[in-house]
Amino acid sequence: MHNILVLNGPNLNLLGTRQPEVYGRETLAMVEQRCVEHGHSIGLSVRCEQSNHEGALLDALHGARGVYAGVILNAGAYTHTSIALMDAIFSIELPVVEVHLSNIHAREDFRHRSYLSRAALGQICGFGAQGYIMALDALRAHLDEDNAG
Ligand code: DQA
């Protein structure tokens, strides 16, 4: 079983009550539970972390090296501001799938730019919590391709 880290950033601890018309009514605990269960069904052991602090997210990414085979990252608003998180993704040399619940490209201009996309394997946005499940499937396929190659 590959270990996968699902890492959520600022304000995502408020899921379920935070602007539910944008982010849905599922709580973070519910989303994480779905990730663990779906991961298990496709042979991935999922661990979930959340922090509101950029430095803690950096530490979590650094710590993922050698422990996890891949990372699913919703960095919240740091997506649009954090060169440090982009550099961390480049540095750890792990496949990172960037996830956003909302379609960031259909929202305010300042959300259109993601620094993380430069370093990520790919980006999934606009599908709500289902995006995390899609990201797990994408990582599974990516890891299978890597093993085959
Ligand atoms: C988000 C989109 C970001 O622009 C926003 O700052 C978030 C959540 C999303 O999941 O849609 O906090 O990453």
Side-chain angles (χ1 to χ4, degrees):
M1 268 226 186
H2 291 294
N3 294 321
I4 302 296
L5 175 64
V6 174
L7 183 59
N8 279 291
N11 298 309
L12 291 160
N13 54 311
L14 302 179
L15 273 188
T17 54
R18 172 196 184 197
Q19 295 180 275
E21 67 287 359
V22 179
Y23 298 116
R25 295 203 177 270
E26 263 182 278
T27 64
L28 182 60
M30 290 160 79
V31 174
E32 289 178 341
Q33 179 64 23
R34 272 175 64 180
C35 287
V36 170
E37 282 169 12
H38 184 72
H40 191 75
S41 75
I42 59 170
L44 301 175
S45 175
V46 172
R47 180 147 177 239
C48 303
E49 289 183 36
Q50 187 274 334
S51 177
N52 291 319
H53 305 278
E54 189 175 9
L57 296 170
L58 288 168
D59 289 343
L61 287 171
H62 295 176
R65 212 174 179 180
V67 177
Y68 295 99
V71 179
I72 292 170
L73 175 63
N74 183 350
Y78 289 139
T79 303
H80 319 298
T81 61
S82 181
I83 295 169
L85 282 174
M86 176 189 73
D87 284 346
I89 297 171
F90 275 128
S91 304
I92 60 174
E93 293 178 321
L94 284 175
V96 175
V97 180
E98 178 187 350
V99 167
H100 302 283
L101 295 143
S102 63
N103 179 357
I104 56 174
H105 304 289
R107 300 182 64 195
E108 303 98 319
D109 285 355
F110 61 83
R111 294 187 205 274
H112 296 180
R113 179 176 66 187
S114 165
Y115 283 111
L116 310 188
S117 291
R118 283 179 172 253
L121 184 64
Q123 183 197 68
I124 296 170
C125 71
F127 295 97
Q130 188 63 22
Y132 291 86
I133 303 301
M134 295 161 80
L136 282 168
D137 287 337
L139 267 183
R140 175 77 262 179
H142 177 77
L143 293 170
D144 287 347
E145 266 173 33
D146 254 16
N147 286 343

